[in-house]
């Protein structure tokens, strides 16, 4: 049975190496979720990205504490990792719980905050025009670039008319944004439980004696 000091030490070191890999996956997924939609103001996806960066830093602390069997390092590592578990678990659940109306609201906030150049890139990439509708309320300025170029692409260079126009961008982005939220939420939820495992291993490892150390110098 793997319950000795050396086994606990090696398991904690291996787990922290896994955390580095997990953090890299989280960062990659979050970056994909943002880059695939080009509308970068999706705060929940940003939360997953922040957790990934923070997890790498915490992993380095855990590796140092595990190698040295340093009680203070292990204590702070254990506390911070547990708090990170709570945050990442909450953010991942929020990603999975976001419905289509909330996704549209967040995407609308992002669309409103980016400049016309970014909006033009979105329109060209997804071959769409405006966010939801080309019809603007009275006394308001147009919040999207000219659609003449993308309309020619959508209509295959035919004559542009009301029957031949590009769809609004939200219709094109809806599936992409939904997939990004689900992917971030699923991976974040799965790997958040490995952090709870890390807390349990750290608690056990801290309370074990190093057989190579002075028996009277437990702490």
């Amino acid at each position: 049975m793997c319950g000795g000091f050396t086994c606990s030490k090696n398991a904690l070191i291996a787990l922290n190496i896994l955390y580095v890999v997990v953090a890299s996956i989280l960062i990659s997924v979050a970056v994909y979720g943002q880059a695939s939609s080009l509308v970068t103001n999706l705060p929940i996806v940003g939360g997953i990205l922040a957790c990934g960066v923070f997890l790498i830093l915490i992993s380095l602390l855990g590796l140092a504490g595990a190698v040295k069997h340093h009680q203070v390092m292990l204590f702070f590592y254990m506390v911070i990792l547990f708090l990170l578990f709570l945050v990442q678990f909450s953010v991942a659940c929020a990603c999975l719980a976001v419905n289509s109306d909330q996704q549209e609201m967040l995407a609308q906030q992002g669309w409103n905050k980016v400049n016309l150049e970014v909006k033009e890139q979105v329109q060209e990439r997804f071959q769409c025009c405006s966010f939801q509708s080309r019809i603007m309320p009275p006394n308001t300025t147009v919040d999207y670039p000219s659609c003449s170029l993308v309309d020619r692409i959508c209509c295959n260079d035919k004559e542009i008319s009301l029957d031949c126009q590009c769809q609004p961008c939200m219709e094109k982005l809806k599936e992409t944004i939904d997939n990004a939220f689900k992917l971030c939420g699923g991976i974040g939820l799965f790997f958040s439980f490995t952090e709870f495992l890390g807390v349990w291993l750290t608690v056990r490892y801290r309370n074990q004696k190093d057989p190579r150390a002075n028996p009277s110098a437990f702490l």
Side-chain angles (χ1 to χ4, degrees):
M1 182 178 178
C2 182
F5 176 86
T6 302
C7 183
S8 297
K9 177 180 179 179
N10 292 337
L12 194 58
I13 291 175
L15 190 62
N16 278 282
I17 294 175
L18 176 63
Y19 287 160
V20 175
V21 177
V22 170
S24 301
I25 294 174
L26 290 174
I27 292 173
S28 300
V29 169
V31 169
Y32 164 77
Q34 291 182 332
S36 61
S37 64
L38 287 178
V39 181
T40 57
N41 189 34
L42 297 179
I44 296 181
V45 179
I48 293 287
L49 178 62
C51 284
V53 173
F54 192 60
L55 182 57
I56 289 182
L57 300 178
I58 296 303
S59 300
L60 297 178
L61 177 63
L63 283 171
V67 171
K68 298 181 180 180
H69 197 232
H70 196 287
Q71 293 291 317
V72 177
M73 283 186 179
L74 290 173
F75 173 77
F76 282 106
Y77 168 75
M78 176 182 62
V79 172
I80 296 173
L81 191 64
F82 180 72
L83 295 176
L84 183 59
F85 160 75
L86 294 178
V87 172
Q88 186 167 317
F89 181 79
S90 301
V91 172
C93 289
C95 277
L96 296 175
V98 169
N99 57 37
S100 58
D101 292 336
Q102 292 170 329
Q103 291 177 9
E104 184 174 332
M105 180 187 67
L106 293 172
Q108 177 73 70
Q109 292 176 359
W111 179 270
N112 293 339
K113 289 187 178 181
V114 298
N115 55 40
L116 289 177
E117 182 180 355
V118 174
K119 293 177 183 178
E120 186 175 5
Q121 292 174 2
V122 173
Q123 292 184 166
E124 291 179 0
R125 176 171 179 178
F126 292 94
Q127 296 182 14
C128 58
C129 178
S130 75
F131 183 74
Q132 288 180 314
S133 174
R134 303 191 188 197
I135 302 175
M136 303 298 297
N139 300 324
T140 58
T141 57
V142 177
D143 66 344
Y144 58 90
S146 172
C147 299
S148 57
L149 177 62
V150 292
D151 279 339
R152 285 199 298 269
I153 297 175
C154 293
C155 298
N156 296 320
D157 292 328
K158 297 179 181 178
E159 184 178 353
I160 300 172
S161 64
L162 293 177
D163 296 328
C164 183
Q165 290 182 342
C166 290
Q167 290 182 325
C169 291
M170 186 58 204
E171 295 299 321
K172 295 289 188 74
L173 293 173
K174 186 179 297 184
E175 184 177 355
T176 302
I177 294 175
D178 183 61
N179 290 337
F181 272 103
K182 289 181 178 178
L183 191 60
C184 287
I187 293 179
L189 184 64
F190 176 79
F191 286 115
S192 65
F193 287 103
T194 67
E195 295 162 5
F196 189 78
L197 175 62
V199 172
W200 175 77
L201 272 175
T202 306
V203 171
R204 190 178 72 163
Y205 181 56
R206 286 187 73 242
N207 293 313
Q208 290 177 326
K209 292 183 179 180
D210 188 348
R212 297 170 298 180
N214 185 352
S216 62
F218 175 60
L219 296 177

